[in-house]
Amino acid sequence: MRTIFALAGVVIKELYRRKDFYVLFILTIVICVIMASVNIFNDNQIVRYLKELCLLLIWISSLVIAITTTARQIPAEREQRTLLPLLAKPLTRTQLILGKFLGCWLACGLVLICFYVFFGALAASREHAWPLLSYFQAAILHWMALGVVIAMTLLGSLVFAAPSSNSTICFVLVATILCVGRYLDAVALTLGEPLRSVIYAFYYAIPHVEIPFEMRNLIVHDWPLIGWKFIGLDILYLLAYMAIFLVAACLVFRRKPVN
Amino acid sequence: MSVILKTDKLRVEFKSREFRQSPKVALSGLDLEVGTGEVFGFLGPNGAGKTTTINVLLGFVQPTSGAAALFGIDVRQPIARQRIGYLPEMTYYYKFLSAEELLRFYAKIFGLPRNETDKRIAQLLKLVELEHASKRQIKTYSKGMQQRVGLAQALINNPDLLVLDEPTSGLDPVGRMKVREIIQRLKNEGKTVFFASHELGEVETVCDRVAIISEGELKAIGRVSEIVAQHPSLEKAFLEVIGYKPQLA
């Protein structure tokens, strides 16, 4: 476990020593602050739209950070050959995969804390309220969804040759799930066989990360809290997908030549 | 003297990516034994199979047939690498870390206790003369400094066997002398060093025994003094063993 945490520590250090995270973070903050300072159409309810846009930006930024950070982990190790002195130590390839995953996941968790604290401050400046439990529910499911995306990207980085192609494929896949994932069963109902079964199979096979995505509504419309039992079940559901992708990544990596 | 590094009829073939091409034989029937406390030179021309042998010993490449063991443990087991240190030919380290952070990271992988880690890092930074630059990121280091960080990371676990792949390549004469001094020091401490190099003068100075391979096959093995006794120099012996014939009379 100490080895996995050591590897994760290096991933986190890399993230905060690179400039791209700061650029994205500052850009998100600047856009949100500008939006917050403008009273569009003199509408007092504009704060809802503002919150929705702000949360959408947070989702997009966190996905960009998660996918781009994860996609380059193993390819960069191979390309820069830092994998050689690393695997010359008493370290298994499974530990390496788990360390990289944990590092990216924890780094994204830290990023989310920054984003949600900023969002909370921005919303409180307009609404004078801190619905902390709603924020917590949205943030924890957001983090779990990012875990699934990170595990999937890690597997992709072992399958696809270039980090750019892996990032693009993962972005398209995640965007598709977020936009149409929940409608697939309804679409399947309108189709005849065998297409119906194929679409149903897709519907049940894909990780439904759009559930955490929809948690934005909880904050935007001040809906009551979701039952903790359902939050727990969704966390278990997302953890199961993380485990599936990670096991697949470990199996693929075991067969990969080091150089 | 117990054997701590052993290869037994080691064969490595690489499949060709070309259609209907036969696989390339990188190593063929390699038998090696290195005992405790030896400084063992592993010589060969470019493409002879030196790095492939090291890659097999470190578990990077699976042998097609035969076996390799470190400390009597199959090299495919990660625990076989617990007591070794490895210095690659080029400097392949996380450039965004400082030397101290890099050493601390590797110490954690070896599971060294925190107080021992601090002591060990201080000793090693002193040994490789990088105390003044220990907090700076590695990307700001010169090539010689990066190679010395490499040597420090190879020694972090106080290894019983040190595997060096062309440790002095690209270093200036002072850097080479420092690496040679460190190898000599390790030898005096009773450590075993497995040393792949092109620098025959260096090998002659520091090694007890040498093996010469060419085209994946072991051509000669023995004490440096024995090999040199039959030839005017180690260089002449090397050229004769690999079958090099000078083009100019």
Side-chain angles (χ1 to χ4, degrees), chain B residues 10-15 22-30 42 45-56 61-64 213-218:
Chain B
L10 201 62
R11 185 178 177 86
V12 176
E13 289 176 4
F14 292 116
K15 282 181 192 161
S22 52
K24 184 187 179 298
V25 179
L27 287 177
S28 176
L30 186 70
F42 195 48
N46 287 333
K50 301 187 298 293
T51 300
T52 304
T53 307
I54 289 177
N55 284 348
V56 171
V61 170
Q62 299 287 325
T64 310
I213 65 163
S214 180
E215 293 169 352
E217 289 179 14
L218 186 65

Side-chain angles (χ1 to χ4, degrees), chain A residues 2-3 6-7 10 13-14 17 77 80-82 84-93 100 258-259, chain B residues 55 58-60 78 81-82 84 86 92-94 96-97 101 105-106 108-113 137 153:
Chain A
R2 198 180 173 210
T3 306
L7 282 160
V10 168
K13 271 197 185 106
E14 187 194 6
R17 285 185 184 169
E77 290 266 6
Q80 292 160 16
R81 311 192 92 189
T82 46
L84 299 179
L86 193 57
L87 287 179
K89 310 282 182 283
L91 174 84
T92 63
R93 291 183 183 206
K100 291 288 179 190
V258 173
N259 49 8
Chain B
N55 284 348
L58 297 171
F60 300 159
R81 301 192 285 276
Q82 183 68 35
I84 69 163
Y86 166 57
Y92 309 128
Y93 309 108
Y94 301 110
F96 55 89
L97 295 182
E101 285 170 338
F105 166 60
Y106 285 134
K108 278 183 191 165
I109 289 183
F110 278 107
L112 299 188
Q137 287 187 25
Q153 67 79 30

Side-chain angles (χ1 to χ4, degrees), chain A residues 241-258:
Chain A
Y241 270 97
M242 279 183 231
I244 291 167
F245 285 128
L246 286 176
V247 168
C250 291
L251 290 175
V252 173
F253 194 43
R254 273 170 67 178
R255 292 160 189 271
K256 278 258 171 196
V258 173

Side-chain angles (χ1 to χ4, degrees), chain B residues 19 32 37-38 50 56 65 129 146 158 162 206 222 224 229:
Chain B
F19 183 61
L32 281 180
E38 268 190 307
K50 301 187 298 293
V56 171
S65 64
E129 296 172 17
Q146 290 189 14
N158 196 12
L162 199 62
V206 297
V224 177

Side-chain angles (χ1 to χ4, degrees), chain A residues 168-224:
Chain A
T168 310
I169 290 167
C170 288
F171 270 124
V172 171
L173 211 61
V174 173
T176 310
I177 292 172
L178 291 181
C179 295
V180 301
R182 70 190 133 150
Y183 305 117
L184 282 179
D185 59 338
V187 172
L189 272 176
T190 63
L191 299 169
E193 289 294 352
L195 213 52
R196 175 185 287 192
S197 301
V198 172
I199 301 290
Y200 262 129
F202 269 118
Y203 178 74
Y204 287 112
I206 58 168
H208 286 274
V209 286
E210 75 273 11
I211 300 169
F213 185 61
E214 293 307 320
M215 289 291 286
R216 289 172 307 132
N217 292 324
L218 186 78
I219 298 172
V220 173
H221 303 293
D222 296 326
W223 286 347

Side-chain angles (χ1 to χ4, degrees), chain B residues 173-218:
Chain B
V174 179
R176 281 165 193 240
M177 183 56 78
K178 274 184 183 159
V179 171
R180 220 176 289 168
E181 280 170 10
I182 290 170
I183 294 171
Q184 195 62 46
R185 195 168 158 171
L186 292 168
K187 184 183 173 183
N188 295 342
E189 287 174 14
K191 308 283 185 197
T192 308
V193 181
F194 184 84
F195 178 19
S197 182
H198 287 301
E199 304 291 331
L200 299 177
E202 198 168 80
V203 169
E204 205 171 340
T205 316
V206 297
C207 292
D208 300 314
R209 282 201 308 146
V210 292
I212 301 173
I213 65 163
S214 180
E215 293 169 352
E217 289 179 14
L218 186 65

